[in-house]
Amino acid sequence: MWAVAKKELRQSFSNLTGYIAIIVFLLLNGLLLFVFPDTDVLTYGYATLDKFFELAPWILLLLIPAITMRSLSEEFRMGTFEILQTIPLSRTQLVLGKYLASLLVAVIALIPTLLYFLTIQRLSGQGGIDVGATIGSYIGLVFLCAVFTSIGVLCSSWTGNAVVAFIAAAFACFLLYSGFNAISALPVFAAGADYYIEMIGIDFHYRSISRGVVDSRDIIYFFSIIVLLLSLTSRNLARKIQGRGRKGGATGTGRKLGWLGLVIALLVINLAAGYLHYRLDLTQEKRYTLSKPTRELLSRLDDNIEVEFFLQGDLKAGIKKLSKSAQELLQEFNDYSDGRVRVKMVDPLAGQDDSTKGTILDSLRRIGIQPKTQVAQSKKGEEQSQRIVIPGAIVHYKNKIFPVDLLQGVQVGQEGQPEELLYTNAETLLEYKFGSAIDKITRKQVPAVGYVVGNGEPLDFSVYNLIQGLRSNYRFGIVRLDSVPVIPQQFDALIVVKPTKKFTDREKLSLDQYVMHGGQLIWAVDELYAEMDSLRDNQQTIAYDRGLELEDLFFKYGVRLQQDLVLSMQCASLNMVVGASGGKPDMQLLSWPYFPLLNGSLTHPISKNLDPVYAKFAGSIDTVKAPGITKTVLLQTSANGRIINTPALISFESAKQANDPRIFNTPNIPVAMLLEGKFNSLFAGRVGTAVADSLANVYKQPFLSVAEKPSRVIVMGDADIMMNEVIPQRGPLPMGYSKDINYQFANQDFVENCIEYLVNPSGILETRSKDFTLRLLDPAKVEADRSFWQFINIGLPILLVIAGGYLYQFLRKRKFA
């Protein structure tokens, strides 16, 4: 076998054929990756070789048939095949020798492409290239070469014409690589067979392993195809030998039975691999490793999930990468759910007139998917084109739908940071967004959430978004605290928003015992009275205590809501009157530090990777000692914050000091806090026997001094976080929406995350804790040395091949001189 392989290698590198094939392969790759604008990795901007691993299979479709076309066909044409039969080698050894030689030539052609890796690593500005993912991708490329080589050797065994062998091999490689993918897309297979048809094709398994994920199922598939095709080659040679008059070997019936046994054995092995498999995620952030809650959710699916995915087409680099990541994630979902998650690529605007497009876009906005306008600069450099892109999807399950907006609530980064950071942050939330959508749309038991009233809490349009969200996603109920002595434990969580009246001891006892029995609470409280209406009417106002008398209850939780107001340089802007012109007021957009934009936690899934949360006249939160209670800051000001204590005079003059860092010198002031653990009752030792007996006997809820099980309480120092503005002409605005700057902050996502964390035991929210590294090229390095790196990656690989050829010929002549 090795003797045949050495002979083939000598033949390949003793003439120009092998060198020309490798040079053409490298030249095409170099031009496509470093010159042609549509596929230029330097223009793409990311420190990745994804484009190379996408393009390489199509070039290998031509390279490998060119390498293998003469491996057996030339033996038939020259009449040397009979000589090979005299050598003491079996057909299997002969085929393996030819195969290994051709495969080695293909692998040698890949070695100079390592210069691409070194180039990207050298030009990376931050993060660097993901070495593990690149290694995995090269492993996938080697397996692809191995399969294409087996196809080429088989086609070469059919004919004595090398050109015919090349054409047949190229067509067969194309068919097996992408043909099954095309067939699976036919509407007739949309009912369920599409996924399994796609799995037969090479492209499905190459895409899986080229991401940097080595899966035993893909490796077994590749080996099975190679063994099957090489066995076909051996069987084809046996026919030719028999046709030329040589006798011996297995009978026709024996060969057929042996062939049938091989096919059955390979099928059994691949089926078994589907149930018993191992996968190794080589990417640095383990980005293709689904969390345990997601895997458990997908394994429980009892019906198909269809995802209409809208983000496609001619996209800019950052959002195109997000689209690809989302599709890869959904493929992972499909794998873990045994083919129950189907993705349907849809362009709802294709072929529609302007009126219909407007209607479609309005419909998407109403269900929660916000289309974006993508501005792309033309290749000429000055003209710009605009295109509407829809960064979202709709998840279908039975008769239900759930929208997914890939960019909603995603942290945009601070001023001066690259736009690509937005898309990288969006990538980290993909598993959560799609996992949460599937969890909500398939859940059998819907949690119950109560909205507490009785102490002045609003029930008008100012909480419209909150109430509508609760009605849509949970079993919703109103809890009238002033008329119920005991809160039913059927509520998984209660929400208290902006109380304005004093809480009595009886009302606090009801809330206290609700928590002691395992209930969970969200408080959104304005300790001080401070409203924009008073400020606009009088140009100034004084913030004063509302007198809610909740201090003792919060103290038992482990926090203290301070009698102060929080200001921040990172704040929203307001349209303010700065003068008059022609009898009309001059309006100017000015920073308003009383409306701080709050940052989320760096670690906790409730607020990690969130866009800022919009607050109004927020108060700070301090912690006090509470044994057994874990405290986590969920929202805080930026590094440039400030606290003013009561009595606090609020006036528009404060806007003049909004950008003075000498005043804003208090960093990271907490405004929202999560408290977890077994709480102690505020009323321990204070409840009389009659009240205790009444709770136990009449209401079947005995008084507890210490919580019977761990619970959670979230306290916010600003009620406006959970509320929405109302404009008479338009009605309620979205939660967290600023009409002055026409932007929606992440209030709704933050509130939804808080509720899900309290009531959803699946743990899906934990998937928000992922971290992805933003890997970008340094644009200054790229522009300064573009020509140099183009030469390195186009000219140097070719020079290396030429130098290697001269060295081989020199050593060969020296050896045989």
Side-chain angles (χ1 to χ4, degrees):
M1 179 177 72
W2 290 113
V4 174
K6 289 178 183 177
K7 167 184 168 292
E8 290 295 311
L9 285 172
R10 281 197 297 270
Q11 278 189 339
S12 297
F13 293 112
S14 295
N15 54 62
L16 293 177
T17 305
Y19 298 107
I20 290 175
I22 294 175
I23 287 173
V24 169
F25 170 73
L26 295 172
L27 182 62
L28 282 174
N29 274 307
L31 291 173
L32 287 170
L33 295 175
F34 295 93
V35 176
F36 294 169
D38 291 338
T39 53
D40 186 359
V41 295
L42 301 182
T43 304
Y44 186 54
Y46 284 90
T48 176
L49 283 176
D50 287 350
K51 286 188 174 292
F52 168 61
F53 295 112
E54 291 171 7
L55 293 169
W58 301 101
I59 303 175
L60 290 173
L61 283 173
L62 301 176
L63 169 70
I64 292 180
I67 294 172
T68 61
M69 64 182 184
R70 300 174 60 186
S71 56
L72 287 169
S73 61
E74 193 73 5
E75 305 284 0
F76 299 146
R77 188 180 70 83
M78 299 292 293
T80 55
F81 182 70
E82 286 76 5
I83 299 175
L84 287 176
Q85 299 306 302
T86 64
I87 301 174
L89 289 173
S90 65
R91 286 195 314 276
T92 302
Q93 290 175 318
L94 174 62
V95 171
L96 284 177
K98 297 279 188 178
Y99 171 76
L100 288 175
S102 299
L103 178 59
L104 281 173
V105 174
V107 172
I108 289 171
L110 294 178
I111 293 175
T113 65
L114 293 174
L115 283 171
Y116 307 158
F117 169 80
L118 297 176
T119 297
I120 298 300
Q121 184 72 350
R122 182 69 180 84
L123 291 175
S124 62
Q126 62 183 73
I129 193 169
D130 191 333
V131 178
T134 306
I135 291 173
S137 299
Y138 267 105
I139 292 173
L141 212 53
V142 170
F143 274 113
L144 189 66
C145 289
V147 174
F148 282 177
T149 302
S150 65
I151 295 171
V153 172
L154 172 62
C155 292
S156 182
S157 72
W158 282 338
T159 177
N161 189 319
V163 176
V164 173
F166 171 81
I167 295 173
F171 179 75
C173 287
F174 172 79
L175 187 63
L176 289 176
Y177 180 73
S178 63
F180 289 99
N181 191 22
I183 293 171
S184 69
L186 295 175
V188 69
F189 299 116
D194 51 352
Y195 174 67
Y196 301 101
I197 292 173
E198 189 180 7
M199 284 181 65
I200 302 173
I202 297 171
D203 177 46
F204 178 90
H205 299 275
Y206 170 72
R207 278 189 284 111
S208 174
I209 204 169
S210 68
R211 297 172 303 163
V213 180
V214 181
D215 194 311
S216 59
R217 291 171 294 183
D218 297 322
I219 294 175
I220 290 173
Y221 167 84
F222 283 125
F223 274 116
S224 299
I225 295 295
I226 293 167
V227 169
L228 183 64
L229 294 176
L230 292 183
S231 298
L232 269 174
T233 305
S234 179
R235 190 166 183 264
N236 197 34
L237 291 182
R239 266 205 218 101
K240 288 185 177 293
I241 293 170
Q242 189 176 20
R244 293 173 187 243
R246 282 195 67 177
K247 297 182 180 180
T251 63
T253 303
R255 284 197 299 270
K256 289 178 182 177
L257 290 175
W259 174 250
L260 181 62
L262 174 64
V263 172
I264 292 173
L266 292 176
L267 284 174
V268 170
I269 290 171
N270 279 271
L271 288 173
Y275 294 97
L276 300 172
H277 59 88
Y278 175 78
R279 67 198 305 274
L280 180 62
D281 187 350
L282 298 177
T283 60
Q284 187 172 329
E285 300 101 349
K286 306 300 178 187
R287 63 172 58 209
Y288 299 112
T289 300
L290 298 183
S291 63
K292 185 178 178 181
T294 304
R295 297 197 303 268
E296 291 176 350
L297 169 68
L298 296 172
S299 67
R300 294 194 302 266
L301 290 180
D302 59 358
D303 205 345
N304 288 341
I305 297 280
E306 182 178 288
V307 180
E308 285 186 282
F309 191 78
F310 302 131
L311 189 57
Q312 56 175 317
D314 185 16
L315 305 171
K316 293 173 68 175
I319 200 166
K320 185 175 184 178
K321 190 170 183 291
L322 174 63
S323 173
K324 180 184 176 184
S325 297
Q327 294 176 57
E328 289 174 342
L329 175 79
L330 291 171
Q331 182 62 58
E332 288 292 311
F333 278 26
N334 196 34
D335 292 343
Y336 274 100
S337 63
D338 293 329
R340 290 191 179 276
V341 179
R342 310 299 175 81
V343 181
K344 182 180 179 182
M345 306 298 293
V346 177
D347 185 357
L349 304 181
Q352 306 292 344
D353 57 40
D354 291 343
S355 176
T356 306
K357 286 181 180 179
T359 303
I360 293 172
L361 294 175
D362 287 340
S363 300
L364 291 172
R365 290 188 185 98
R366 281 196 296 270
I367 66 173
I369 298 175
Q370 298 297 324
K372 306 290 182 184
T373 300
Q374 173 183 279
V375 180
Q377 191 160 335
S378 69
K379 296 173 186 178
K380 295 180 181 179
E382 296 184 0
E383 297 180 1
Q384 291 185 334
S385 61
Q386 291 188 348
R387 179 177 180 269
I388 300 295
V389 297
I390 306 173
I394 296 178
V395 180
H396 297 261
Y397 174 75
K398 296 182 178 178
N399 296 322
K400 305 175 185 177
I401 67 168
F402 197 95
V404 177
D405 189 321
L406 304 184
L407 297 180
Q408 180 183 343
V410 177
Q411 185 178 6
V412 297
Q414 299 177 358
E415 186 177 354
Q417 292 182 324
E419 179 188 4
E420 289 81 1
L421 182 61
L422 167 66
Y423 303 121
T424 299
N425 290 337
E427 280 188 69
T428 67
L429 298 177
L430 285 174
E431 182 181 345
Y432 167 70
K433 284 180 176 286
F434 283 106
S436 177
I438 294 174
D439 179 51
K440 289 178 180 177
I441 204 172
T442 60
R443 61 175 48 155
K444 300 295 186 293
Q445 294 183 341
V446 181
V449 178
Y451 183 82
V452 176
V453 297
N455 294 84
E457 294 86 357
L459 263 177
D460 55 11
F461 279 125
S462 64
V463 288
Y464 176 82
N465 280 271
L466 174 63
I467 299 298
Q468 286 299 105
L470 294 175
R471 290 185 187 277
S472 301
N473 298 316
Y474 308 99
R475 288 184 290 125
F476 173 73
I478 299 293
V479 178
R480 300 191 179 278
L481 191 62
D482 55 351
S483 59
V484 294
V486 172
I487 298 172
Q489 288 299 310
Q490 69 187 39
F491 288 105
D492 297 283
L494 296 181
I495 299 176
V496 184
V497 179
K498 201 170 187 175
T500 57
K501 298 178 182 178
K502 172 185 172 182
F503 281 76
T504 66
D505 282 346
R506 204 249 342 132
E507 291 168 338
K508 287 191 280 188
L509 175 62
S510 297
L511 293 168
D512 175 89
Q513 288 302 294
Y514 171 75
V515 173
M516 294 304 107
H517 285 272
Q520 305 181 98
L521 266 172
I522 297 178
W523 289 91
V525 178
D526 286 342
E527 277 286 297
L528 301 182
Y529 180 90
E531 303 291 343
M532 282 299 296
D533 291 341
S534 301
L535 182 60
R536 287 195 177 99
D537 293 340
N538 306 309
Q539 298 301 305
Q540 65 180 23
T541 187
I542 295 178
Y544 58 87
D545 182 18
R546 289 185 184 270
L548 301 176
E549 297 195 10
L550 289 169
E551 294 82 3
D552 51 356
L553 189 61
F554 289 149
F555 193 88
K556 274 295 181 181
Y557 293 157
V559 295
R560 180 189 292 115
L561 267 66
Q562 304 285 27
Q563 300 282 328
D564 59 24
L565 289 177
V566 170
L567 287 73
S568 176
M569 284 182 63
Q570 179 180 298
C571 58
S573 298
L574 290 182
N575 273 314
M576 300 184 188
V577 178
V578 295
S581 176
K584 296 182 180 180
D586 284 339
M587 306 294 290
Q588 186 175 345
L589 201 63
L590 298 176
S591 297
W592 183 237
Y594 287 96
F595 286 4
L597 299 179
L598 305 174
N599 298 325
S601 167
L602 296 176
T603 57
H604 201 279
I606 287 180
S607 55
K608 183 177 180 180
N609 292 323
L610 269 185
D611 204 19
V613 172
Y614 185 25
K616 299 178 181 179
F617 301 117
S620 68
I621 298 178
D622 195 9
T623 59
V624 295
K625 186 176 181 181
I629 303 302
T630 302
K631 309 175 185 73
T632 305
V633 175
L634 296 180
L635 293 177
Q636 59 189 1
T637 65
S638 67
N640 298 103
R642 178 189 174 197
I643 292 175
I644 59 172
N645 296 307
T646 54
L649 177 65
I650 305 170
S651 71
F652 287 118
E653 292 295 316
S654 303
K656 297 179 180 179
Q657 302 173 338
N659 296 316
D660 189 349
R662 294 172 299 177
I663 299 175
F664 295 89
N665 53 14
T666 305
N668 308 325
I669 304 168
V671 175
M673 193 82 69
L674 168 67
L675 312 165
E676 301 175 281
K678 288 188 175 182
F679 294 94
N680 293 310
S681 173
L682 170 65
F683 296 90
R686 295 170 53 187
V687 173
T689 304
V691 175
D693 290 343
S694 176
L695 290 173
N697 299 324
V698 178
Y699 300 107
K700 307 302 180 183
Q701 193 180 95
F703 175 80
L704 297 177
S705 298
V706 180
E708 61 183 0
K709 57 184 177 181
S711 184
R712 296 162 174 168
V713 174
I714 295 175
V715 180
M716 306 177 199
D718 178 28
D720 292 291
I721 290 174
M722 302 186 72
M723 300 173 69
N724 53 262
E725 288 190 63
V726 181
I727 298 179
Q729 297 83 1
R730 295 174 56 184
L733 300 178
M735 189 187 300
Y737 182 83
S738 170
K739 65 180 183 297
D740 294 283
I741 61 174
N742 192 28
Y743 186 82
Q744 184 176 1
F745 293 96
N747 296 45
Q748 185 168 337
D749 292 272
F750 173 70
V751 171
E752 290 176 355
N753 293 346
C754 287
I755 299 171
E756 280 293 296
Y757 186 76
L758 298 188
V759 303
N760 192 344
S762 69
I764 287 294
L765 193 68
E766 300 295 332
T767 60
R768 287 181 50 86
S769 299
K770 280 192 170 183
D771 277 313
F772 287 176
T773 302
L774 178 60
R775 304 178 186 279
L776 296 176
L777 298 178
D778 186 333
K781 291 181 181 178
V782 170
E783 291 306 315
D785 302 321
R786 177 181 286 270
S787 299
F788 170 75
W789 291 110
Q790 285 176 331
F791 168 76
I792 289 294
N793 291 279
I794 298 173
L796 187 57
I798 295 174
L799 293 176
L800 289 175
V801 173
I802 295 173
Y806 273 110
L807 179 62
Y808 173 75
Q809 297 298 333
F810 172 77
L811 294 176
R812 188 166 178 268
K813 288 179 181 179
R814 184 175 178 181
K815 180 178 180 180
F816 297 105

